[in-house]
Amino acid sequence: MNYRSKYVIAFKGLKEGKHRFAFEIDEPFFDLFENSEVKKGSVTVIVTLTRQSNLLVVETEMKGRVELLCDRCLEPYDQRIRCSNTLYVKFGAEEEELNDDVIVLPYEEHQIDLAQSFYEQVILSLPIKRIHPKGPDGKRNCNPDMVEKLSYYLVDESAPPVEEQSDDRWKELKKLFDKQ
């Protein structure tokens, strides 16, 4: 049995109506996806699958944390995530993805693999700007050494611009351009 099969729901034997499933996303889950920006985490996923005669409605609720690298200091930190999504599964002649929320499975299919959907939901729930959250003291817990190095290289935009000394040879070339 491969690890990915933990995220498969066999719906063929289910009666019409609502069914609940629980999944845990952990480090081996993120290893399934090549070049994943998330390597560690612990996320609980609750799936409510509503089976109808010609449609499946898959509602997911995710809650947990993942480890990210801080954009400011490059140190790892835990980012809390919480998201929900609804996926509609129709049946047709061949498998296809109509849009982000609607997929078509072949009539003969008897199960659905939700691993890719779970992964996409986790990635889409991440913030654009990834920095350490504020602590109880109201300050971010970034690596102080790195913050100090960054402040050394910080450009002060309110300071007057520094005039560069020019080379006399370039002045002669500039005269040629000005004549044209």
Side-chain angles (χ1 to χ4, degrees):
M1 180 170 124
N2 69 6
Y3 189 80
R4 191 175 178 119
S5 65
K6 290 175 61 172
Y7 304 100
V8 172
I9 295 177
F11 57 82
K12 208 56 156 188
L14 297 177
K15 294 181 180 180
E16 287 190 15
K18 291 189 178 207
H19 306 275
R20 288 177 56 93
F21 301 90
F23 299 95
E24 290 296 322
I25 294 177
D26 49 9
E27 292 175 38
F29 174 82
F30 295 110
D31 292 338
L32 295 173
F33 301 94
E34 197 172 315
N35 300 323
S36 174
E37 57 190 299
V38 177
K39 301 293 184 201
K40 296 180 182 179
S42 176
V43 180
T44 301
V45 183
I46 303 298
V47 174
T48 304
L49 184 138
T50 305
R51 177 162 179 156
Q52 299 172 4
S53 60
N54 59 352
L55 178 73
L56 298 175
V57 180
V58 182
E59 298 172 283
T60 58
E61 292 285 332
M62 291 189 169
K63 183 179 177 183
R65 60 152 197 88
V66 293
E67 186 178 272
L68 298 174
L69 290 179
C70 178
D71 290 341
R72 188 175 289 159
C73 70
L74 302 177
E75 293 285 323
Y77 77 96
D78 282 346
Q79 174 70 49
R80 291 181 181 219
I81 62 168
R82 180 181 217 128
C83 64
S84 60
N85 188 41
T86 303
L87 177 68
Y88 298 94
V89 181
K90 295 181 176 185
F91 297 97
E94 58 186 42
E95 186 172 338
E96 66 178 304
E97 186 173 331
L98 298 178
N99 63 37
D100 293 339
D101 298 330
V102 180
I103 61 171
V104 177
L105 289 180
Y107 290 115
E108 61 274 358
E109 190 65 54
H110 63 282
Q111 62 186 15
I112 183 169
D113 183 355
L114 295 173
Q116 183 68 37
S117 177
F118 292 168
Y119 176 74
E120 289 173 2
Q121 289 177 55
V122 168
I123 297 301
L124 290 173
S125 69
L126 299 177
I128 293 172
K129 191 174 186 180
R130 298 168 187 174
I131 54 176
H132 281 88
K134 291 183 180 178
D137 58 354
K139 295 183 179 181
R140 303 215 181 265
N141 297 327
C142 286
N143 180 337
D145 294 334
M146 184 61 81
V147 172
E148 184 180 324
K149 286 180 183 179
L150 287 172
S151 64
Y152 175 76
Y153 292 105
L154 186 65
V155 176
D156 184 11
E157 293 182 14
S158 63
V162 178
E163 290 187 31
E164 297 180 20
Q165 292 184 346
S166 63
D167 190 348
D168 290 338
R169 294 174 289 182
W170 293 111
K171 287 182 184 177
E172 293 300 319
L173 284 173
K174 187 169 172 30
K175 287 179 187 176
L176 290 173
F177 283 114
D178 290 341
K179 288 182 181 179
Q180 293 179 352

